[in-house]
Amino acid sequence: MNVPSPRRASRTRRILRAALPDLAPWHASADFRLLWGQGLITFFGSFMALIALPLQIKELTGSPLAVGAMGAVELVPMVVFGLYGGALADAKDRRKVILATEAGLGVLAVILLVNALLPDPLLWPLYVVAGGVSALAGLQRPALDSLLARIVPHEHLPAAAALNALRWQVGAIAGPALAGLVVAYAGHATAYAVTVVTFTVSVVLCLRLTPAPPAHDAVKPSLRGIAQGAAYAWSRPVLLGTYAIDMAAMFFAFPNTIFPFLADDLDAPWSLGLMYAAGSVGSLALGLTSGWTSRVRRHGLFVVFGAAAWGLAIAGAGLFGSVWPVLVCLGVAGAGDMLSGLGRSAIWNQTIPEELRGRLAGIEVLSYSVGPQLGQVRAGAMAGWTGTRSAVWTGGVACVASVALLTAALPKLLRYDSATDEDAVRRRDAAATATAVTTGAGIPDVPGAPGVPAV
């Protein structure tokens, strides 16, 4: 009987530790554990409503146009309140913003439940709630995103981003599947009732978060403050590159809206659900083996190569004529998107100063919400003009080309190193100083700190 040598067993353990997700943020921050659990619970409740709401509109109207109108109702509130939410997150206690918006989302879920229980459910409340959810999500997301760098030690930010992305992928795969079963077998009212329960639990968890008050000199929410945040982002090529590459990738290579037509072209209508799930499966696979990412400093490479891999894989999905290679390509695309997202999150959290974090998070809301919305319009228009598969592969090629052009125009993104980038070093030193003051350890020897000569 062969017994593994101690050296081989030790090597195996090292490999597993390097591959499995880094749980350091869990051990370092109770607030991170609370937010992670709250977010997972909320995802399941949100997906219940996300699936039930369009299906209810379909049942009430029988009109694809009426269902599609939800996108128009949701887009403007997301943009407007996302920008304002960023300014609000810099000016108010972020815990209070998260708590208030979470409670508001719970109230909207109650409205959906009451409407579904009526003998003849009304149509207009569904659109009102859709717009309200979009507005509250826009207000909340900057506060959530900007809170991460405050509750997680600076050195654990990449690992925290990976764990958050893993949570999202688990919810994105299990949430719709569970929601579909609940809606199909128990009805819309039950789905909305589950949503109400999940938001109630979420509010209880949010109450346990540590207060996160703004700086004493924080500016009030205003258009001028939002403009200051935009000017800061415009002046930082690394940040600008993360926004531009993400928006370009989503605009050119987000074909989800034409998956039903792609499944028909491949003579595999049964594969439609698999197409929607494949990207999340690929992202989840990368998330489950993301331990190595917390030891990488060149996060700009993640952004560039992840977006390029996304585009190449989407191009492959349009070129292959068999459904199984297409599903593999969509899975690879999801892994590429996950990698790019990890890079963006790490750069944002490592470089943006605390006093601007909320406003920059508001701009981030635009980068990852507007791109997919416009991308669906592009994909649908191209499919009607050139055919479905052509719309998919040309979009992937255009994505790769745009990533290459943007990288050439903004070379600092590719060269980004968290150990040497000026903004990252300044942010790390500020975080170390704040930690020392909070714990009573005194001001560390940070260049530029009071009493310490700047280099």
Side-chain angles (χ1 to χ4, degrees):
M1 178 177 179
N2 293 328
V3 179
S5 67
R7 181 177 299 177
R8 181 179 300 176
S10 177
R11 185 167 61 249
T12 301
R13 286 194 295 270
R14 287 198 302 271
I15 293 173
L16 287 174
R17 282 197 298 267
L20 294 175
D22 184 354
L23 299 179
W26 269 83
H27 304 304
S29 173
D31 280 334
F32 179 78
R33 293 194 295 272
L34 281 172
L35 276 183
W36 200 93
Q38 171 268 336
L40 184 62
I41 293 169
T42 301
F43 281 155
F44 279 97
S46 299
F47 275 116
M48 287 289 172
L50 185 67
I51 298 298
L53 191 57
L55 285 177
Q56 190 175 16
I57 294 176
K58 175 179 176 291
E59 290 182 7
L60 291 175
T61 66
S63 168
L65 180 60
V67 177
M70 278 185 59
V73 170
E74 294 167 341
L75 180 58
V76 174
M78 176 63 74
V79 172
V80 174
F81 286 91
L83 288 173
Y84 181 76
L88 193 67
D90 283 336
K92 302 294 182 181
D93 187 322
R94 291 168 187 168
R95 171 183 172 271
K96 291 182 179 179
V97 174
I98 294 169
L99 185 59
T101 51
E102 199 75 357
L105 290 168
V107 170
L108 292 178
V110 171
I111 293 174
L112 289 175
L113 174 60
V114 171
N115 184 61
L117 292 174
L118 294 175
D120 296 305
L122 302 173
L123 177 62
W124 64 265
L126 304 183
Y127 289 110
V128 172
V129 168
V133 168
S134 185
L136 288 174
L139 286 174
Q140 183 188 78
R141 189 61 185 262
L144 275 173
D145 289 350
S146 59
L147 187 61
L148 184 65
R150 180 176 289 193
I151 64 176
V152 174
H154 188 83
E155 64 272 17
H156 297 325
L157 287 173
L163 289 174
N164 278 344
L166 181 61
R167 174 192 63 186
W168 163 254
Q169 297 306 331
V170 170
I173 293 172
L178 181 60
L181 290 174
V182 171
V183 173
Y185 292 101
H188 301 96
T190 302
Y192 296 143
V194 172
T195 303
V196 172
V197 171
T198 59
F199 276 109
T200 302
V201 175
S202 177
V203 168
V204 172
L205 292 177
C206 288
L207 285 169
R208 298 178 60 192
L209 289 171
T210 304
H216 68 279
D217 56 350
V219 298
K220 294 181 178 180
S222 65
L223 290 176
R224 182 180 180 181
I226 294 172
Q228 288 175 344
Y232 179 87
W234 185 262
S235 69
R236 296 301 193 272
V238 174
L239 284 179
L240 196 60
T242 63
Y243 299 139
I245 285 180
D246 183 40
M247 290 193 70
M250 293 297 101
F251 175 74
F252 288 113
F254 192 77
N256 291 30
T257 193
I258 58 174
F259 278 171
F261 303 95
L262 180 61
D264 288 343
D265 279 2
L266 297 173
D267 293 324
W270 52 268
S271 68
L272 180 59
L274 296 177
M275 287 185 181
Y276 283 115
S280 294
V281 171
S283 296
L284 179 62
L286 182 65
L288 290 173
T289 56
S290 63
W292 60 275
T293 62
S294 62
R295 288 175 284 277
V296 176
R297 302 184 325 208
R298 300 285 301 278
H299 300 107
L301 295 175
F302 283 9
V303 177
V304 172
F305 290 128
W310 161 271
L312 284 172
I314 292 297
L319 290 171
F320 282 111
S322 176
V323 67
W324 292 111
V326 168
L327 293 174
V328 171
C329 285
L330 293 177
V332 173
D337 185 46
M338 173 76 160
L339 183 64
S340 184
L342 290 179
R344 293 194 305 273
S345 181
I347 290 172
W348 293 341
N349 285 310
Q350 289 171 345
T351 64
I352 298 173
E354 177 65 24
E355 65 273 13
L356 290 172
R357 189 166 296 280
R359 280 166 282 179
L360 271 293
I363 296 174
E364 292 159 22
V365 169
L366 300 187
S367 76
Y368 55 65
S369 62
V370 175
Q373 294 280 1
L374 296 179
Q376 293 188 81
V377 175
R378 184 216 66 86
M382 284 292 294
W385 180 32
T386 65
T388 302
R389 290 175 58 190
S390 177
V392 175
W393 74 259
T394 55
V397 171
C399 169
V400 175
S402 64
V403 169
L405 290 173
L406 289 168
T407 303
L410 300 165
K412 285 190 175 182
L413 175 62
L414 199 63
R415 297 198 301 265
Y416 174 83
D417 187 322
S418 62
T420 58
D421 180 84
E422 292 182 3
D423 289 326
V425 171
R426 189 179 300 112
R427 177 73 186 92
R428 182 177 67 242
D429 292 345
T433 302
T435 300
V437 171
T438 301
T439 59
I443 304 295
D445 293 335
V446 178
V452 180
V455 178

